[in-house]
Each structure stands twice: as structure tokens, then as C-alpha cells.
Amino acid sequence: MDQLLQWLLFPGILITLALSTVFSFKSRRATDPRTRGIQAARMNISMGGMLLFIAAVQLFLSAESTLRIVIGAIFIVIGLFNLFAGIRNLSVYRSMAASEQTQR
């Protein structure tokens, strides 16, 4: 079971890390505020997923100790916050872009 979790969690961490990095660079280089906001929201979603994967590693693949459980729980809370904030911001920026296109 641990092998299966390793094969699922570690690539998930690496993929979300790469996506966070790409969206961060795109967000910083964008000149349009809406594009910058959309890329930043995608970065938050990716970072939230990465934190959830890291929390799963802490909770399932490590020796059980109180400190690891607390750290895993903190990562879950921060990861869920980033995930929901990113989804909310993405919907706001997409609706701004859609409303601007309908005004043209």
C-alpha cells in the first residue's frame, strides 16, 4: 500500500510544483491585470494541491507522531484555503473578462 501511495503522491507533488512555478512566472510577466489575476489564481490552485499532496505524505507515509499529524493538519488547512481562494479568484477574473467581452 505504501508503494502505491508513493507512486501517486510524489508525481502529484512534482506536477503541482511545476505548475505553480509556471503560473507564477506567467503571472509576474503579464502586463494585463486580468491575465495576471487569472495566472495568480491558477498558481494558488496548484499550490493548494501541492500542499494537500504534501499533507498526505506527512499523514500516510511517515511514522505516526503527534508533530507529523499536526504539521499534516496545518498543511491541509493551508492547502484547502489556497485551493478555494484560487477557485474563487479564478471565477471572479473569468467573469470580469466575460463581462468585458459582452460590452464590446
Side-chain angles (χ1 to χ4, degrees), residues 8-40:
L8 294 176
L9 295 177
F10 289 125
I13 291 171
L14 293 177
I15 290 168
T16 54
L17 174 65
L19 288 174
S20 296
T21 306
V22 167
F23 292 138
S24 175
F25 281 123
K26 285 184 177 184
S27 171
R28 293 171 196 266
R29 293 180 185 259
T31 56
D32 182 35
R34 282 185 313 277
T35 305
R36 180 178 294 153
I38 287 173
Q39 297 300 331

